[in-house]
Amino acid sequence: MKLGFSAAEEEFRAECADWLQGQMAGEFKDIKGITTLTAKAERRKEWEQQLAAHKWSCIGWPEKWGGRNATLAQQVIFAEEYARAGVPGRVNHIGIELAGPTILAFGTEEQKQRFLPGIAAGQTIFCQGFSEPGAGSDLASVRTKGRLENGEWVVNGQKIWTSLAHISDWIFVVTRTEEGSKGPKGLSFLMMDVKQPGIEIRGIKQINGDAEFNETFFTDARCPEDSMIGAVGQGWQIAMGLLAFERGVSTLGQQMAFRNELDEIIAAAKANGQAKNPLIRQRIAKAEIGLRLMRYGALRMLSNTDHSKIDGAALTYKIQWATWRRGLGELAMDVLGQAGELAHGSEYEWDVLPNLFLFSRSDTIYGGTNQIQRNLIAERGLGMPREPRGDL
Amino acid sequence: MDFRFSDDQLTLAEGVRDYLAGTHGPEVLRRLDEQGNRDPAIWQGLVDMGLTGLCVPEAQGGLGVGLPEAALIAAECGRACLAEPLVDTAFVGVPWLVAQGKLDGLEDVVAGTRRVPVAHAINPWEADGAGAALTSVDPLRNLTAAGQTSDDPHLLNLGALMSAAQLVGLADAMLHQAVEYAKIRTQFGQPVGAFQGLKHQLASCSVAIEFAKPVVWRAAQAMQDRLDSAPVHVSHAKVAASDAAMLTAETAIQVHGAMGYTYEVDLHFWMKRSWALCGAWGDRAYHLKRVDDAVLGGTLPIGPEHTFA
Ligand SMILES: Cc1cc2nc3c(=O)[nH]c(=O)nc-3n(C[C@H](O)[C@H](O)[C@H](O)COP(=O)(O)OP(=O)(O)OC[C@H]3O[C@@H](n4cnc5c(N)ncnc54)[C@H](O)[C@@H]3O)c2cc1C
């Protein structure tokens, strides 16, 4: 065991920090510190392009496609410095972390050429069309239909909870292309242009007043036949590959953002005297322990050069961070105490800590609920018998 | 010893529950939220039910009932997520005035034309007051900055007690919403409520709520009897009710999946009220400290020579 990052990695860290902090103090000062997902969307698209212009938009991708071939450790370092500099979340997170890697893993050369440059350049914003009103945890029960007609896929149905669809250019859609099929069989994975007459988007207001996610309706929406990633009927396999990206390594760098949030809570506790309260002190200490637990877990996973092993370990990571952060939201409210009842009307509707409380209610739901994660750990990880389920 | 409510008390509470269920459903909360939070007809309905006069002595035209009954009704107000500051005026303000012998003008409270401001130094704001508007995390509470505040501990205890009572009602309602949703939402070919992972969580909420309730009623009786230990009972009640409500809020959102994270599902009104009330009238840290001071500081008689009712 050899702890700590290498000298080269530390040098890389300094380079990231230098550039990101420079941006947040300079040209992109106006977006620094935004914590909601939708505020100043247009400026944040410009930020995506700025990242691209300096080759920071998709560092984990191969150089050929605009990346830097960065190692996992470097990707984590970048994500950490990104959070530390107070840069708001990526509006093209889904393009960079989910669509891109999926196309790289499963797409044809032609598809790579068609999609990757736009994503890398911050010109093509992607959203994720998985969930449907009837298909949440049970993703395999997707009903949105795709049929082939004159060299085009024609899609009808509805997706829901589509984050950022209203500012996206493209959507990847899990569709049922085999008439009468059930479950994971007969599904296919399509890339579709959002800005077409057959796709309609309606915002859904969230408990924090933000409308980050949407209902997405498909009425004879179209895409060329060769917009399918993988083969007809291979959609489930592609979707699972993508979910492994979503739940796994793409989140390993987020502890720095969590660090910022915990620091904010500690500062609030010092300011209002709760830092002297032994009960709050203990909970802060526990939160710190939880954070370090994730940190060391992540660092250990990173040391593993066999990526398939990382995915196995990452199985336990989603529930760990989601539950920790939901608890952090509650700690924030207990630190604020009665003052937490008042919203001070920040520029973005909610102050940082109350918004953390509200937003963290969803961490244990999206990307696979805590219950589903536990099922995966127990059934796939521990090999336990499956819970009886109804007929599909 | 009889740790039960009488039939009369229960009938009263049921009457209020039915009335609110019939006139103050979630659609009303949504209408209020869109149209400025208050509708005089709702207040008038509460007045007509006699609720503003519940704790006003009979000589002043009220019903003169005690704090345990008032707490029972406050729980119903929580269940309905009632936004009107009925509990503040009628179950906190009135008992506080009565305790001080300030009986003048209580007839106007019964008639619904007078509100009793209940601003305490610990939360220097009041609902529907005349001061500058403040924004509560609860979209239906109209908080205003208080001109004058009191630091009377009796007021604080009444406020905390009635918050605890509302919290158990809120928790009941959230549990109900989650259970009903778990029965109708199907995934993997069956209602999600059939999965043990959810069922057990909801059962745990039920345990927390059912054990919080007698603590609240015990505190109400202690306040009614003006026991020396009443403040500790109130703190116990506030903590137990807050914990039950927050656990239930968290679980109910989880059970609803992404639906639970929307403004369009009613749940968030209850969740935000719970959140607001957990912080009000002494937050968790405040009340836990009162309990631990009492237990370790000797104000609460404990030891083999004492029983602990
Ligand atoms: C903020 C946010 C953003 C999102 N963004 C996107 C997006 O961009 N694209 C997209 O496609 N989706 C998105 N989602 C949807 C997300 O993937 C789903 O919410 C999630 O998969 C759960 O599905 P559901 O909401 O339908 O809940 P349901 O599946 O209906 O679950 C309801 C409850 O039942 C439980 N449950 C279900 N099955 C089981 C079981 N077998 N055992 C035990 N318990 C079970 C669940 O854990 C949950 O508590 C987003 C969700 C949120 C909250």
PDB file of all heavy atoms in Angstrom, chain A residues 128 130-131 136-137 161-163 213 362 365-367 369 371-372 375, chain B residues 185 187-188 192 195 198 254-255 257-258, ligand 1:
ATOM      1  N   GLN A 128     -31.604  11.875 -20.768  1.00  0.00           N
ATOM      2  CA  GLN A 128     -31.712  10.427 -20.607  1.00  0.00           C
ATOM      3  C   GLN A 128     -33.164   9.977 -20.624  1.00  0.00           C
ATOM      4  O   GLN A 128     -33.910  10.269 -19.677  1.00  0.00           O
ATOM      5  CB  GLN A 128     -31.063  10.052 -19.265  1.00  0.00           C
ATOM      6  CG  GLN A 128     -31.165   8.600 -18.877  1.00  0.00           C
ATOM      7  CD  GLN A 128     -30.397   8.322 -17.582  1.00  0.00           C
ATOM      8  OE1 GLN A 128     -30.093   9.239 -16.819  1.00  0.00           O
ATOM      9  NE2 GLN A 128     -30.091   7.059 -17.322  1.00  0.00           N
ATOM     10  N   PHE A 130     -35.003   7.084 -20.093  1.00  0.00           N
ATOM     11  CA  PHE A 130     -35.192   5.725 -19.584  1.00  0.00           C
ATOM     12  C   PHE A 130     -36.580   5.574 -18.947  1.00  0.00           C
ATOM     13  O   PHE A 130     -37.420   4.829 -19.422  1.00  0.00           O
ATOM     14  CB  PHE A 130     -34.128   5.391 -18.519  1.00  0.00           C
ATOM     15  CG  PHE A 130     -32.804   4.913 -19.076  1.00  0.00           C
ATOM     16  CD1 PHE A 130     -32.431   5.163 -20.383  1.00  0.00           C
ATOM     17  CD2 PHE A 130     -31.921   4.209 -18.261  1.00  0.00           C
ATOM     18  CE1 PHE A 130     -31.212   4.736 -20.884  1.00  0.00           C
ATOM     19  CE2 PHE A 130     -30.694   3.762 -18.749  1.00  0.00           C
ATOM     20  CZ  PHE A 130     -30.338   4.023 -20.055  1.00  0.00           C
ATOM     21  N   SER A 131     -36.799   6.319 -17.851  1.00  0.00           N
ATOM     22  CA  SER A 131     -38.008   6.102 -17.041  1.00  0.00           C
ATOM     23  C   SER A 131     -39.280   6.465 -17.789  1.00  0.00           C
ATOM     24  O   SER A 131     -39.305   7.391 -18.593  1.00  0.00           O
ATOM     25  CB  SER A 131     -37.938   6.943 -15.768  1.00  0.00           C
ATOM     26  OG  SER A 131     -36.740   6.708 -15.093  1.00  0.00           O
ATOM     27  N   GLY A 136     -40.296   2.570 -13.687  1.00  0.00           N
ATOM     28  CA  GLY A 136     -39.329   3.309 -12.876  1.00  0.00           C
ATOM     29  C   GLY A 136     -38.245   2.362 -12.440  1.00  0.00           C
ATOM     30  O   GLY A 136     -37.296   2.080 -13.178  1.00  0.00           O
ATOM     31  N   SER A 137     -38.418   1.809 -11.228  1.00  0.00           N
ATOM     32  CA  SER A 137     -37.475   0.792 -10.764  1.00  0.00           C
ATOM     33  C   SER A 137     -37.477  -0.385 -11.720  1.00  0.00           C
ATOM     34  O   SER A 137     -36.449  -0.990 -11.998  1.00  0.00           O
ATOM     35  CB  SER A 137     -37.876   0.306  -9.366  1.00  0.00           C
ATOM     36  OG  SER A 137     -37.839   1.378  -8.465  1.00  0.00           O
ATOM     37  N   TRP A 161     -39.568  12.136 -16.003  1.00  0.00           N
ATOM     38  CA  TRP A 161     -38.423  12.492 -15.136  1.00  0.00           C
ATOM     39  C   TRP A 161     -37.172  12.776 -15.953  1.00  0.00           C
ATOM     40  O   TRP A 161     -36.061  12.600 -15.478  1.00  0.00           O
ATOM     41  CB  TRP A 161     -38.099  11.405 -14.091  1.00  0.00           C
ATOM     42  CG  TRP A 161     -39.274  10.755 -13.442  1.00  0.00           C
ATOM     43  CD1 TRP A 161     -39.558   9.434 -13.433  1.00  0.00           C
ATOM     44  CD2 TRP A 161     -40.313  11.402 -12.699  1.00  0.00           C
ATOM     45  NE1 TRP A 161     -40.717   9.202 -12.753  1.00  0.00           N
ATOM     46  CE2 TRP A 161     -41.205  10.383 -12.290  1.00  0.00           C
ATOM     47  CE3 TRP A 161     -40.595  12.714 -12.358  1.00  0.00           C
ATOM     48  CZ2 TRP A 161     -42.363  10.653 -11.544  1.00  0.00           C
ATOM     49  CZ3 TRP A 161     -41.738  12.980 -11.617  1.00  0.00           C
ATOM     50  CH2 TRP A 161     -42.595  11.959 -11.221  1.00  0.00           C
ATOM     51  N   THR A 162     -37.380  13.207 -17.197  1.00  0.00           N
ATOM     52  CA  THR A 162     -36.230  13.430 -18.068  1.00  0.00           C
ATOM     53  C   THR A 162     -35.523  14.728 -17.659  1.00  0.00           C
ATOM     54  O   THR A 162     -35.968  15.820 -18.015  1.00  0.00           O
ATOM     55  CB  THR A 162     -36.686  13.520 -19.543  1.00  0.00           C
ATOM     56  OG1 THR A 162     -37.864  12.734 -19.713  1.00  0.00           O
ATOM     57  CG2 THR A 162     -35.597  13.054 -20.446  1.00  0.00           C
ATOM     58  N   SER A 163     -34.432  14.572 -16.933  1.00  0.00           N
ATOM     59  CA  SER A 163     -33.714  15.746 -16.430  1.00  0.00           C
ATOM     60  C   SER A 163     -33.183  16.577 -17.581  1.00  0.00           C
ATOM     61  O   SER A 163     -32.596  16.037 -18.528  1.00  0.00           O
ATOM     62  CB  SER A 163     -32.529  15.323 -15.557  1.00  0.00           C
ATOM     63  OG  SER A 163     -32.987  14.660 -14.415  1.00  0.00           O
ATOM     64  N   PHE A 213     -36.675  18.352 -14.076  1.00  0.00           N
ATOM     65  CA  PHE A 213     -37.073  17.213 -14.891  1.00  0.00           C
ATOM     66  C   PHE A 213     -38.398  17.432 -15.605  1.00  0.00           C
ATOM     67  O   PHE A 213     -39.116  18.389 -15.325  1.00  0.00           O
ATOM     68  CB  PHE A 213     -37.003  15.887 -14.144  1.00  0.00           C
ATOM     69  CG  PHE A 213     -37.724  15.763 -12.833  1.00  0.00           C
ATOM     70  CD1 PHE A 213     -38.912  16.411 -12.582  1.00  0.00           C
ATOM     71  CD2 PHE A 213     -37.199  14.936 -11.831  1.00  0.00           C
ATOM     72  CE1 PHE A 213     -39.579  16.248 -11.376  1.00  0.00           C
ATOM     73  CE2 PHE A 213     -37.861  14.775 -10.619  1.00  0.00           C
ATOM     74  CZ  PHE A 213     -39.046  15.425 -10.400  1.00  0.00           C
ATOM     75  N   SER A 362     -33.927  13.512  -2.989  1.00  0.00           N
ATOM     76  CA  SER A 362     -34.018  12.737  -4.238  1.00  0.00           C
ATOM     77  C   SER A 362     -32.802  11.843  -4.474  1.00  0.00           C
ATOM     78  O   SER A 362     -32.827  10.979  -5.340  1.00  0.00           O
ATOM     79  CB  SER A 362     -34.207  13.677  -5.436  1.00  0.00           C
ATOM     80  OG  SER A 362     -33.001  14.355  -5.724  1.00  0.00           O
ATOM     81  N   ILE A 365     -33.311   8.251  -4.620  1.00  0.00           N
ATOM     82  CA  ILE A 365     -34.315   7.801  -5.589  1.00  0.00           C
ATOM     83  C   ILE A 365     -33.744   7.683  -7.003  1.00  0.00           C
ATOM     84  O   ILE A 365     -33.844   6.629  -7.638  1.00  0.00           O
ATOM     85  CB  ILE A 365     -35.541   8.757  -5.583  1.00  0.00           C
ATOM     86  CG1 ILE A 365     -36.217   8.723  -4.205  1.00  0.00           C
ATOM     87  CG2 ILE A 365     -36.518   8.388  -6.690  1.00  0.00           C
ATOM     88  CD1 ILE A 365     -37.245   9.817  -3.987  1.00  0.00           C
ATOM     89  N   TYR A 366     -33.129   8.759  -7.507  1.00  0.00           N
ATOM     90  CA  TYR A 366     -32.705   8.697  -8.918  1.00  0.00           C
ATOM     91  C   TYR A 366     -31.495   7.773  -9.081  1.00  0.00           C
ATOM     92  O   TYR A 366     -30.786   7.488  -8.119  1.00  0.00           O
ATOM     93  CB  TYR A 366     -32.422  10.096  -9.483  1.00  0.00           C
ATOM     94  CG  TYR A 366     -31.286  10.845  -8.840  1.00  0.00           C
ATOM     95  CD1 TYR A 366     -29.965  10.542  -9.137  1.00  0.00           C
ATOM     96  CD2 TYR A 366     -31.532  11.880  -7.950  1.00  0.00           C
ATOM     97  CE1 TYR A 366     -28.928  11.233  -8.560  1.00  0.00           C
ATOM     98  CE2 TYR A 366     -30.495  12.580  -7.357  1.00  0.00           C
ATOM     99  CZ  TYR A 366     -29.188  12.252  -7.665  1.00  0.00           C
ATOM    100  OH  TYR A 366     -28.165  12.931  -7.079  1.00  0.00           O
ATOM    101  N   GLY A 367     -31.321   7.310 -10.319  1.00  0.00           N
ATOM    102  CA  GLY A 367     -30.186   6.424 -10.590  1.00  0.00           C
ATOM    103  C   GLY A 367     -30.298   5.083  -9.881  1.00  0.00           C
ATOM    104  O   GLY A 367     -29.314   4.394  -9.661  1.00  0.00           O
ATOM    105  N   THR A 369     -33.179   3.445  -6.821  1.00  0.00           N
ATOM    106  CA  THR A 369     -33.533   3.788  -5.439  1.00  0.00           C
ATOM    107  C   THR A 369     -32.689   2.968  -4.455  1.00  0.00           C
ATOM    108  O   THR A 369     -32.093   1.950  -4.829  1.00  0.00           O
ATOM    109  CB  THR A 369     -35.015   3.489  -5.142  1.00  0.00           C
ATOM    110  OG1 THR A 369     -35.192   2.063  -5.169  1.00  0.00           O
ATOM    111  CG2 THR A 369     -35.948   4.129  -6.160  1.00  0.00           C
ATOM    112  N   GLN A 371     -33.717   0.988  -2.305  1.00  0.00           N
ATOM    113  CA  GLN A 371     -34.230  -0.387  -2.215  1.00  0.00           C
ATOM    114  C   GLN A 371     -33.668  -1.231  -3.358  1.00  0.00           C
ATOM    115  O   GLN A 371     -33.261  -2.377  -3.161  1.00  0.00           O
ATOM    116  CB  GLN A 371     -35.774  -0.386  -2.266  1.00  0.00           C
ATOM    117  CG  GLN A 371     -36.450   0.131  -1.006  1.00  0.00           C
ATOM    118  CD  GLN A 371     -36.244   1.621  -0.789  1.00  0.00           C
ATOM    119  OE1 GLN A 371     -36.354   2.424  -1.714  1.00  0.00           O
ATOM    120  NE2 GLN A 371     -35.933   2.008   0.429  1.00  0.00           N
ATOM    121  N   ILE A 372     -33.655  -0.623  -4.539  1.00  0.00           N
ATOM    122  CA  ILE A 372     -33.127  -1.357  -5.694  1.00  0.00           C
ATOM    123  C   ILE A 372     -31.631  -1.608  -5.511  1.00  0.00           C
ATOM    124  O   ILE A 372     -31.131  -2.701  -5.820  1.00  0.00           O
ATOM    125  CB  ILE A 372     -33.420  -0.571  -6.996  1.00  0.00           C
ATOM    126  CG1 ILE A 372     -34.931  -0.515  -7.240  1.00  0.00           C
ATOM    127  CG2 ILE A 372     -32.699  -1.177  -8.190  1.00  0.00           C
ATOM    128  CD1 ILE A 372     -35.641  -1.854  -7.309  1.00  0.00           C
ATOM    129  N   ASN A 375     -31.257  -4.462  -3.209  1.00  0.00           N
ATOM    130  CA  ASN A 375     -31.553  -5.719  -3.901  1.00  0.00           C
ATOM    131  C   ASN A 375     -30.361  -6.165  -4.735  1.00  0.00           C
ATOM    132  O   ASN A 375     -30.018  -7.349  -4.761  1.00  0.00           O
ATOM    133  CB  ASN A 375     -32.779  -5.561  -4.808  1.00  0.00           C
ATOM    134  CG  ASN A 375     -34.082  -5.574  -4.019  1.00  0.00           C
ATOM    135  OD1 ASN A 375     -34.098  -5.910  -2.840  1.00  0.00           O
ATOM    136  ND2 ASN A 375     -35.170  -5.190  -4.662  1.00  0.00           N
TER     137      ASN A 375
ATOM    138  N   ARG B 185     -49.313   1.651  -6.568  1.00  0.00           N
ATOM    139  CA  ARG B 185     -48.206   1.744  -7.524  1.00  0.00           C
ATOM    140  C   ARG B 185     -47.630   0.350  -7.755  1.00  0.00           C
ATOM    141  O   ARG B 185     -47.179  -0.304  -6.811  1.00  0.00           O
ATOM    142  CB  ARG B 185     -47.131   2.670  -6.957  1.00  0.00           C
ATOM    143  CG  ARG B 185     -45.810   2.661  -7.711  1.00  0.00           C
ATOM    144  CD  ARG B 185     -45.948   3.262  -9.082  1.00  0.00           C
ATOM    145  NE  ARG B 185     -44.651   3.381  -9.767  1.00  0.00           N
ATOM    146  CZ  ARG B 185     -44.530   3.696 -11.059  1.00  0.00           C
ATOM    147  NH1 ARG B 185     -45.621   3.919 -11.794  1.00  0.00           N
ATOM    148  NH2 ARG B 185     -43.348   3.792 -11.612  1.00  0.00           N
ATOM    149  N   GLN B 187     -44.845  -2.139  -9.669  1.00  0.00           N
ATOM    150  CA  GLN B 187     -43.591  -2.333 -10.398  1.00  0.00           C
ATOM    151  C   GLN B 187     -43.274  -3.814 -10.280  1.00  0.00           C
ATOM    152  O   GLN B 187     -43.620  -4.448  -9.285  1.00  0.00           O
ATOM    153  CB  GLN B 187     -42.462  -1.500  -9.785  1.00  0.00           C
ATOM    154  CG  GLN B 187     -42.589   0.000 -10.066  1.00  0.00           C
ATOM    155  CD  GLN B 187     -42.262   0.364 -11.512  1.00  0.00           C
ATOM    156  OE1 GLN B 187     -41.128   0.582 -11.891  1.00  0.00           O
ATOM    157  NE2 GLN B 187     -43.311   0.426 -12.336  1.00  0.00           N
ATOM    158  N   PHE B 188     -42.596  -4.355 -11.246  1.00  0.00           N
ATOM    159  CA  PHE B 188     -42.258  -5.783 -11.256  1.00  0.00           C
ATOM    160  C   PHE B 188     -43.523  -6.637 -11.072  1.00  0.00           C
ATOM    161  O   PHE B 188     -43.510  -7.658 -10.393  1.00  0.00           O
ATOM    162  CB  PHE B 188     -41.238  -6.122 -10.164  1.00  0.00           C
ATOM    163  CG  PHE B 188     -39.961  -5.344 -10.250  1.00  0.00           C
ATOM    164  CD1 PHE B 188     -39.737  -4.250  -9.427  1.00  0.00           C
ATOM    165  CD2 PHE B 188     -38.979  -5.689 -11.173  1.00  0.00           C
ATOM    166  CE1 PHE B 188     -38.559  -3.516  -9.519  1.00  0.00           C
ATOM    167  CE2 PHE B 188     -37.802  -4.959 -11.271  1.00  0.00           C
ATOM    168  CZ  PHE B 188     -37.584  -3.872 -10.437  1.00  0.00           C
ATOM    169  N   VAL B 192     -45.895  -2.024  -5.107  1.00  0.00           N
ATOM    170  CA  VAL B 192     -44.580  -1.893  -4.459  1.00  0.00           C
ATOM    171  C   VAL B 192     -44.685  -2.138  -2.947  1.00  0.00           C
ATOM    172  O   VAL B 192     -43.714  -2.529  -2.305  1.00  0.00           O
ATOM    173  CB  VAL B 192     -43.895  -0.537  -4.742  1.00  0.00           C
ATOM    174  CG1 VAL B 192     -43.515  -0.429  -6.210  1.00  0.00           C
ATOM    175  CG2 VAL B 192     -44.755   0.641  -4.295  1.00  0.00           C
ATOM    176  N   PHE B 195     -43.334  -5.351  -1.452  1.00  0.00           N
ATOM    177  CA  PHE B 195     -41.903  -5.591  -1.199  1.00  0.00           C
ATOM    178  C   PHE B 195     -41.583  -5.297   0.260  1.00  0.00           C
ATOM    179  O   PHE B 195     -41.914  -4.231   0.774  1.00  0.00           O
ATOM    180  CB  PHE B 195     -41.034  -4.719  -2.109  1.00  0.00           C
ATOM    181  CG  PHE B 195     -41.124  -5.104  -3.554  1.00  0.00           C
ATOM    182  CD1 PHE B 195     -41.685  -4.249  -4.485  1.00  0.00           C
ATOM    183  CD2 PHE B 195     -40.654  -6.338  -3.985  1.00  0.00           C
ATOM    184  CE1 PHE B 195     -41.782  -4.610  -5.821  1.00  0.00           C
ATOM    185  CE2 PHE B 195     -40.746  -6.708  -5.319  1.00  0.00           C
ATOM    186  CZ  PHE B 195     -41.310  -5.846  -6.236  1.00  0.00           C
ATOM    187  N   LEU B 198     -40.025  -1.993   1.482  1.00  0.00           N
ATOM    188  CA  LEU B 198     -40.867  -0.825   1.723  1.00  0.00           C
ATOM    189  C   LEU B 198     -41.783  -1.032   2.915  1.00  0.00           C
ATOM    190  O   LEU B 198     -41.944  -0.164   3.768  1.00  0.00           O
ATOM    191  CB  LEU B 198     -41.756  -0.547   0.512  1.00  0.00           C
ATOM    192  CG  LEU B 198     -41.154   0.152  -0.680  1.00  0.00           C
ATOM    193  CD1 LEU B 198     -42.262   0.765  -1.528  1.00  0.00           C
ATOM    194  CD2 LEU B 198     -40.182   1.235  -0.274  1.00  0.00           C
ATOM    195  N   GLN B 254     -39.620   8.579  -0.147  1.00  0.00           N
ATOM    196  CA  GLN B 254     -38.921   7.427  -0.737  1.00  0.00           C
ATOM    197  C   GLN B 254     -39.922   6.451  -1.355  1.00  0.00           C
ATOM    198  O   GLN B 254     -39.710   5.945  -2.455  1.00  0.00           O
ATOM    199  CB  GLN B 254     -38.079   6.737   0.349  1.00  0.00           C
ATOM    200  CG  GLN B 254     -37.212   5.611  -0.161  1.00  0.00           C
ATOM    201  CD  GLN B 254     -36.048   6.112  -1.015  1.00  0.00           C
ATOM    202  OE1 GLN B 254     -35.661   7.275  -0.928  1.00  0.00           O
ATOM    203  NE2 GLN B 254     -35.509   5.251  -1.838  1.00  0.00           N
ATOM    204  N   VAL B 255     -41.008   6.212  -0.632  1.00  0.00           N
ATOM    205  CA  VAL B 255     -42.004   5.258  -1.121  1.00  0.00           C
ATOM    206  C   VAL B 255     -42.644   5.751  -2.423  1.00  0.00           C
ATOM    207  O   VAL B 255     -42.989   4.966  -3.294  1.00  0.00           O
ATOM    208  CB  VAL B 255     -43.080   5.026  -0.031  1.00  0.00           C
ATOM    209  CG1 VAL B 255     -44.313   4.350  -0.601  1.00  0.00           C
ATOM    210  CG2 VAL B 255     -42.493   4.210   1.108  1.00  0.00           C
ATOM    211  N   GLY B 257     -41.110   7.327  -4.707  1.00  0.00           N
ATOM    212  CA  GLY B 257     -40.130   7.436  -5.790  1.00  0.00           C
ATOM    213  C   GLY B 257     -40.057   8.878  -6.271  1.00  0.00           C
ATOM    214  O   GLY B 257     -40.279   9.814  -5.499  1.00  0.00           O
ATOM    215  N   ALA B 258     -39.786   9.045  -7.569  1.00  0.00           N
ATOM    216  CA  ALA B 258     -39.634  10.401  -8.097  1.00  0.00           C
ATOM    217  C   ALA B 258     -40.900  11.237  -7.890  1.00  0.00           C
ATOM    218  O   ALA B 258     -40.827  12.451  -7.711  1.00  0.00           O
ATOM    219  CB  ALA B 258     -39.280  10.342  -9.585  1.00  0.00           C
TER     220      ALA B 258
HETATM  221  C1  LIG C   1     -34.273  14.212  -9.434  1.00  0.00           C
HETATM  222  C2  LIG C   1     -34.521  13.072 -10.356  1.00  0.00           C
HETATM  223  C3  LIG C   1     -34.003  13.080 -11.645  1.00  0.00           C
HETATM  224  C4  LIG C   1     -34.229  12.012 -12.525  1.00  0.00           C
HETATM  225  N1  LIG C   1     -33.736  12.080 -13.803  1.00  0.00           N
HETATM  226  C5  LIG C   1     -34.025  11.092 -14.696  1.00  0.00           C
HETATM  227  C6  LIG C   1     -33.614  11.179 -16.058  1.00  0.00           C
HETATM  228  O1  LIG C   1     -32.966  12.142 -16.450  1.00  0.00           O
HETATM  229  N2  LIG C   1     -33.963  10.190 -16.901  1.00  0.00           N
HETATM  230  C7  LIG C   1     -34.666   9.092 -16.504  1.00  0.00           C
HETATM  231  O2  LIG C   1     -34.921   8.230 -17.321  1.00  0.00           O
HETATM  232  N3  LIG C   1     -35.090   8.971 -15.211  1.00  0.00           N
HETATM  233  C8  LIG C   1     -34.791   9.949 -14.303  1.00  0.00           C
HETATM  234  N4  LIG C   1     -35.240   9.849 -12.998  1.00  0.00           N
HETATM  235  C9  LIG C   1     -36.106   8.740 -12.624  1.00  0.00           C
HETATM  236  C10 LIG C   1     -35.481   7.695 -11.729  1.00  0.00           C
HETATM  237  O3  LIG C   1     -34.630   6.866 -12.429  1.00  0.00           O
HETATM  238  C11 LIG C   1     -36.638   6.911 -11.077  1.00  0.00           C
HETATM  239  O4  LIG C   1     -37.285   7.809 -10.219  1.00  0.00           O
HETATM  240  C12 LIG C   1     -36.212   5.715 -10.301  1.00  0.00           C
HETATM  241  O5  LIG C   1     -35.721   4.731 -11.129  1.00  0.00           O
HETATM  242  C13 LIG C   1     -37.364   5.126  -9.459  1.00  0.00           C
HETATM  243  O6  LIG C   1     -38.502   4.936 -10.231  1.00  0.00           O
HETATM  244  P1  LIG C   1     -39.921   5.543  -9.772  1.00  0.00           P
HETATM  245  O7  LIG C   1     -39.721   6.960  -9.458  1.00  0.00           O
HETATM  246  O8  LIG C   1     -40.907   5.195 -10.810  1.00  0.00           O
HETATM  247  O9  LIG C   1     -40.251   4.815  -8.428  1.00  0.00           O
HETATM  248  P2  LIG C   1     -40.935   3.362  -8.303  1.00  0.00           P
HETATM  249  O10 LIG C   1     -40.157   2.391  -9.092  1.00  0.00           O
HETATM  250  O11 LIG C   1     -42.374   3.491  -8.538  1.00  0.00           O
HETATM  251  O12 LIG C   1     -40.659   3.054  -6.780  1.00  0.00           O
HETATM  252  C14 LIG C   1     -41.548   3.423  -5.736  1.00  0.00           C
HETATM  253  C15 LIG C   1     -41.012   2.826  -4.472  1.00  0.00           C
HETATM  254  O13 LIG C   1     -41.024   1.410  -4.572  1.00  0.00           O
HETATM  255  C16 LIG C   1     -39.755   0.876  -4.277  1.00  0.00           C
HETATM  256  N5  LIG C   1     -39.521  -0.356  -5.031  1.00  0.00           N
HETATM  257  C17 LIG C   1     -39.692  -0.570  -6.344  1.00  0.00           C
HETATM  258  N6  LIG C   1     -39.336  -1.818  -6.660  1.00  0.00           N
HETATM  259  C18 LIG C   1     -38.907  -2.418  -5.535  1.00  0.00           C
HETATM  260  C19 LIG C   1     -38.394  -3.699  -5.204  1.00  0.00           C
HETATM  261  N7  LIG C   1     -38.238  -4.641  -6.129  1.00  0.00           N
HETATM  262  N8  LIG C   1     -38.047  -3.948  -3.914  1.00  0.00           N
HETATM  263  C20 LIG C   1     -38.202  -2.999  -2.959  1.00  0.00           C
HETATM  264  N9  LIG C   1     -38.684  -1.771  -3.203  1.00  0.00           N
HETATM  265  C21 LIG C   1     -39.029  -1.485  -4.482  1.00  0.00           C
HETATM  266  C22 LIG C   1     -38.799   1.964  -4.690  1.00  0.00           C
HETATM  267  O14 LIG C   1     -37.550   1.834  -4.028  1.00  0.00           O
HETATM  268  C23 LIG C   1     -39.552   3.204  -4.224  1.00  0.00           C
HETATM  269  O15 LIG C   1     -39.349   3.396  -2.861  1.00  0.00           O
HETATM  270  C24 LIG C   1     -34.999  10.910 -12.103  1.00  0.00           C
HETATM  271  C25 LIG C   1     -35.523  10.892 -10.802  1.00  0.00           C
HETATM  272  C26 LIG C   1     -35.298  11.950  -9.934  1.00  0.00           C
HETATM  273  C27 LIG C   1     -35.875  11.907  -8.548  1.00  0.00           C
END
